[in-house]
Amino acid sequence: MFLEPSIRYCAKNLEWVPDIVVGDMAYVNLHTQRWLREAMHVALVTKLKPNMTLPEEFDDTYTMTCEQGQVLRWLELRELEQLHWFGVRDAQPLCIWCWQRSSCPREFSFKPSAHEILYGTIPVSSRVGQQLLRQARSWIDATQSYEKNQLGLSQVFFNSLRLAWVIGLLADTVSLLRALAFTKEPSNDALLHQLASEQMELRLLDG
């Protein structure tokens, strides 16, 4: 809900946008994710909803295979072509017993737009995607919980969408102000410059 306006604000007022955003699957739709990837060049990594249908090439959210069941690893995203490339990187692959071995390229390409969550800019099945979801997301959850306790909100519950909207905007404002403070160049003047003593200038008078 607040991700798109927050990114727009950063681009307009800070002339900066994050390279990677780790999001929550419940609050990001596919349209927003595609807009971030194509227009803002921001990689959004989020978990897959439990009821979402997987493409044929996926055995599960984190395992991608070829037609014969060989696991494929993410190689790279070629931005000019807008193609993800996956290939066989196992030490002992199934390819040596595959009847299509002679005609198989062992590398396959997929468009990010084929599935914005599973592919996107950083595929969920890749090591980078899994690490972001496992480490960054768990750190974010703990931080939000800490701030909630600090504000005393853990003992207060309001069933109001309007209040949730206001609190969300305030939270985004704090984050943006913090980012703005970090991006501004520090002043070269000392904090106590105006209070510092100055030496009196002495002049010699003729006669």
Side-chain angles (χ1 to χ4, degrees), residues 4 21 44 61 110 119 124 138 165 178 191 199 201 203:
E4 182 175 346
V21 173
L44 177 61
T61 307
F110 300 89
Y119 294 119
V124 175
S138 60
W165 178 68
R178 184 183 300 173
L191 296 177
Q199 184 176 357
E201 183 179 356
R203 295 182 180 180

Side-chain angles (χ1 to χ4, degrees), residues 57-89:
E57 57 269 18
F58 283 87
D59 289 351
D60 55 59
T61 307
Y62 305 108
T63 307
M64 185 179 185
T65 61
C66 70
E67 295 180 356
Q68 306 304 326
Q70 170 60 47
V71 176
L72 303 176
R73 308 294 181 185
W74 182 52
L75 303 179
E76 63 176 338
L77 168 65
R78 298 179 185 175
E79 293 190 6
L80 294 179
E81 303 174 357
Q82 277 300 296
L83 289 176
H84 280 296
W85 284 89
F86 294 80
V88 179
R89 289 297 181 267

Side-chain angles (χ1 to χ4, degrees), residues 6-189:
S6 298
I7 295 296
R8 291 186 183 275
Y9 183 92
C10 289
K12 179 180 179 180
N13 295 280
L14 305 180
E15 298 182 354
W16 167 87
V17 293
D19 295 327
I20 302 174
V21 173
V22 181
D24 193 315
M25 61 182 177
Y27 303 105
V28 182
N29 57 48
L30 297 179
H31 174 76
T32 300
Q33 191 159 349
R34 183 169 184 174
W35 173 79
L36 289 173
R37 177 177 58 82
E38 294 182 345
M40 305 304 294
H41 304 288
V42 174
L44 177 61
V45 181
T46 181
K47 294 182 180 179
L48 191 71
K49 294 182 179 181
N51 59 347
M52 188 167 289
T53 304
L54 295 174
E56 295 181 356
E57 57 269 18
F58 283 87
D59 289 351
D60 55 59
T61 307
Y62 305 108
T63 307
M64 185 179 185
T65 61
C66 70
E67 295 180 356
Q68 306 304 326
Q70 170 60 47
V71 176
L72 303 176
R73 308 294 181 185
W74 182 52
L75 303 179
E76 63 176 338
L77 168 65
R78 298 179 185 175
E79 293 190 6
L80 294 179
E81 303 174 357
Q82 277 300 296
L83 289 176
H84 280 296
W85 284 89
F86 294 80
V88 179
R89 289 297 181 267
D90 290 353
Q92 296 181 341
L94 301 176
C95 303
I96 57 178
W97 296 286
C98 180
W99 63 275
Q100 292 180 319
R101 177 181 179 182
S102 60
S103 59
C104 180
R106 301 183 68 175
E107 291 187 358
F108 308 89
S109 62
F110 300 89
K111 294 182 178 180
S113 58
H115 200 292
E116 289 294 340
I117 297 179
L118 291 174
Y119 294 119
T121 304
I122 301 177
V124 175
S125 61
S126 66
R127 291 185 178 179
V128 178
Q130 293 182 42
Q131 184 173 359
L132 287 171
L133 291 175
R134 182 175 61 255
Q135 296 181 356
R137 184 63 205 176
S138 60
W139 177 83
I140 293 171
D141 289 338
T143 303
Q144 291 177 340
S145 177
Y146 174 78
E147 292 178 350
K148 182 178 180 180
N149 292 329
Q150 288 293 100
L151 296 174
L153 298 179
S154 58
Q155 300 177 357
V156 181
F157 176 76
F158 294 99
N159 188 15
S160 170
L161 291 177
R162 181 179 294 275
L163 178 62
W165 178 68
V166 172
I167 292 178
L169 289 178
L170 290 175
D172 285 346
T173 301
V174 171
S175 300
L176 293 173
L177 289 175
R178 184 183 300 173
L180 178 62
F182 285 146
T183 55
K184 287 292 185 179
E185 295 183 0
S187 176
N188 294 327
D189 297 333

